[in-house]
Amino acid sequence: MAMALPLAGCGGTGGGGGSNEHAAAAIEAARAYQQASVDQDWETACEARTERLRQSLGADTIAECVEITGAPRLGNYSDAQVSIGETVEVSAFGPHPAGIGLRVTLETGTGGLGMTTHTALRLVPGEQGKWLVDQAVNLVGTEGTDAEAVWAALDRK
């Protein structure tokens, strides 16, 4: 069984480009992607996806992706907070190339009306060193949210 390897202390670049620099760039790309979704900046969110992911959603172009993704949101996300978990190297799986996996958590609302969602993202290197989202899997409460849960979720869907 393969092991989930946190990249924070790794200096190598195996599989997903596991250097601290690559991990930091992937974390920033994941944060920007999630924040664009929170802000309903669908063009930025669509540009942050790989062509393969956009096409799997039925969009051949950025404009089509914006049209598909841009449904009005129920509720107010003005107090949303985005947090990112530790990175893990993920190998190629099915149509997904090797890359960096991580957990993105979105917390919205206050008091009893709040909502927390956890998503495992696979980020892969794109052109000019830019990291792009290639896979997104919702993590359910029973799976956990640590690096091993992220690795497992991205390796089975």
Side-chain angles (χ1 to χ4, degrees):
M1 179 172 164
M3 291 288 296
L5 301 173
L7 296 175
C10 296
T13 58
S19 73
N20 288 340
E21 190 175 294
H22 287 160
I27 287 169
E28 185 51 40
R31 185 180 315 281
Y33 169 76
Q34 185 63 58
Q35 191 62 53
S37 296
V38 167
D39 295 341
Q40 297 186 21
D41 179 356
W42 304 124
E43 186 169 345
T44 297
C46 288
E47 288 172 350
R49 296 174 177 153
T50 61
E51 182 177 349
R52 193 213 60 75
L53 178 57
R54 287 192 310 266
Q55 288 178 345
S56 75
L57 299 171
D60 289 326
T61 66
I62 298 292
E64 288 174 351
C65 178
V66 169
E67 186 176 325
I68 290 168
T69 310
R73 171 180 299 131
L74 298 175
N76 180 356
Y77 279 47
S78 63
D79 64 348
Q81 296 182 342
V82 175
S83 63
I84 308 291
E86 64 182 295
T87 60
V88 61
E89 193 169 338
V90 290
S91 36
F93 177 77
H96 306 289
I100 292 176
L102 47 76
R103 173 198 39 82
V104 174
T105 298
L106 176 63
E107 295 180 84
T108 61
T110 57
L113 303 174
M115 174 184 77
T116 301
T117 58
H118 304 284
T119 306
L121 296 181
R122 174 188 301 261
L123 287 102
V124 298
E127 294 179 10
Q128 300 171 343
K130 184 176 180 180
W131 287 85
L132 301 172
V133 176
D134 189 70
Q135 183 182 16
V137 178
N138 290 330
L139 297 171
V140 294
T142 58
E143 292 179 300
T145 59
D146 62 5
E148 191 169 328
V150 167
W151 177 83
L154 295 174
D155 198 44
R156 72 169 182 273
K157 303 214 178 189

